Amino acid sequence: MNNNKVYHSQSFLIETKVDPTRQLVLATTFVIRGFPFVMCMGTPGHPQQFGFLRPQAIVFRSGKSEMALEFCWSQGPASNAVFLDRAGSYDGPPPDWQDWEKNG
């Protein structure tokens, strides 16, 4: 279980991770409204340190309410669902943003 906080924001980011020696895209990072999601284009060297392989779903929970984003993988899910629990409210840009990111 991971208790890291993610701050909801009006952000959208797509960033590629490229191996410069081979000019090969290894992964793509998506940050959608503050939620980071990394899509790996192969098998990472240390999968257990990377995250979840083919999660069944991402379940958003707030109090008694739940909404799920379910995935359909050609090889079937390899991991259980990932649960995100709403912990409270915050007004303003995420505190870990750099100054140039605070454009609101």
Side-chain angles (χ1 to χ4, degrees):
M1 176 189 247
N2 187 333
N3 290 321
N4 290 346
K5 292 181 183 176
V6 174
Y7 290 87
H8 175 280
S9 63
Q10 298 295 328
S11 62
F12 181 75
L13 169 78
I14 299 175
E15 178 181 50
T16 56
K17 307 291 185 185
V18 178
D19 178 346
T21 59
R22 297 184 290 167
Q23 297 294 307
L24 181 67
V25 176
L26 302 175
T28 303
T29 300
F30 300 90
V31 179
I32 303 169
R33 298 184 65 89
F35 177 68
F37 180 82
V38 179
M39 181 176 290
C40 189
M41 306 300 183
T43 303
H46 301 281
Q48 65 280 6
Q49 296 174 355
F50 191 80
F52 298 96
L53 175 65
R54 294 192 314 269
Q56 178 183 0
I58 299 173
V59 181
F60 301 89
R61 299 189 294 200
S62 180
K64 294 181 180 181
S65 177
E66 281 189 2
M67 296 186 93
L69 175 61
E70 294 188 14
F71 297 104
C72 180
W73 305 100
S74 62
Q75 297 175 12
S79 303
N80 292 328
V82 175
F83 292 90
L84 300 174
D85 294 300
R86 183 180 179 129
S89 296
Y90 177 82
D91 188 14
D96 58 346
W97 272 12
Q98 298 176 30
D99 284 337
W100 66 268
E101 294 175 299
K102 300 176 183 177
N103 60 5

